[in-house]
Amino acid sequence: MKKLILKTRSLLFKKTSFTHNYIKDLELDDNVIKEEYKLLTKSGAVIFRYKSTDQLKEENSILINRIHELLTIKEQDYKLLIEPLIYYFLRVVSIAPASQSAHDSGSGGLVRHSLLVVIKLLELSFDDRYNFCNTDFSKYQCSLVLLGLLHDLSKIFTDYKISTVGQKYNFVLTYDNCILDDFCKKHN
């Protein structure tokens, strides 16, 4: 078996709880090393290739455009409020997965999952059965965007231990260190 050689632009994610013991230890060889795939190590850790914020934005452009279409706010408000919010969210969660082995478990999975939640919330906002606000509909929709983006944000701080390959550097949440993309760029 050939040695496992990883690209320098990758991060290691390890689930901090012991609820995912069903993941079997795998022997890795060149046949499973592909750009789009996550890699499982013998310890159960998952290794992801780094993607820039702009790459994540491009990969999810169809979802972002759908959010834009569903919103009833003025174009200038979208540019001023929603567009920067989505971009900042992409920076914060970066390549984090939405789950260890279920939905959106690949690199950038949490971004995709959260954008899909936003879309579903916005679609439901047009159904009177789910409109519980007596406020301006545009403000209601903006709050749904925020809710959808933030609903799983804590996962990157509570559910995963995030470190560089070789575990030389660990991502630790502090006041001035809360953007996963900054950590990725600094240690790659």
Side-chain angles (χ1 to χ4, degrees), residues 12 19 26 54 79 88 94-95 99 104 106 112 119 132 138 149 151 155:
L12 185 92
T19 59
L26 297 175
D54 290 331
K79 296 267 186 213
Y88 189 74
S94 186
I95 62 171
S99 69
D104 296 310
R112 183 182 184 293
I119 290 169
F132 302 111
S138 297
L149 291 178
H151 84 280
K155 282 185 176 189

Side-chain angles (χ1 to χ4, degrees), residues 49-182:
R49 186 176 65 83
Y50 171 71
K51 297 174 184 177
S52 71
T53 302
D54 290 331
Q55 286 173 305
L56 289 168
K57 184 178 177 186
E58 178 61 31
E59 280 182 13
N60 293 283
S61 62
I62 293 172
L63 301 177
I64 294 169
N65 290 337
R66 180 65 180 142
I67 291 168
H68 192 179
E69 291 169 4
L70 287 167
L71 285 167
T72 59
I73 63 175
K74 297 176 188 169
E75 184 64 24
Q76 67 185 33
D77 291 337
Y78 178 83
K79 296 267 186 213
L80 183 68
L81 300 170
I82 304 301
E83 204 170 76
L85 177 66
I86 290 173
Y87 193 79
Y88 189 74
F89 178 77
L90 296 175
R91 289 187 61 225
V92 170
V93 301
S94 186
I95 62 171
S99 69
Q100 178 87 9
S101 60
H103 69 286
D104 296 310
S105 60
S107 180
L110 186 55
V111 167
R112 183 182 184 293
H113 168 71
S114 298
L115 292 173
L116 286 168
V117 169
V118 170
I119 290 169
K120 190 61 177 173
L121 288 170
L122 290 175
E123 289 172 347
L124 290 172
S125 74
F126 293 101
D127 187 331
D128 288 336
R129 293 177 298 169
Y130 301 107
N131 190 340
F132 302 111
C133 289
N134 292 332
T135 186
D136 179 323
F137 189 67
S138 297
K139 289 179 183 176
Y140 173 61
Q141 281 194 315
C142 287
S143 67
L144 292 176
V145 170
L146 191 57
L147 176 67
L149 291 178
L150 300 181
H151 84 280
D152 271 345
L153 180 64
S154 66
K155 282 185 176 189
I156 65 171
F157 307 116
T158 60
D159 288 10
Y160 299 109
K161 176 186 174 193
I162 303 170
S163 61
T164 57
V165 174
Q167 300 185 10
K168 184 174 181 182
Y169 300 103
N170 294 308
F171 180 67
V172 179
L173 176 65
T174 62
Y175 177 74
D176 47 340
N177 183 39
C178 62
I179 299 176
L180 185 54
D181 187 60
D182 290 348

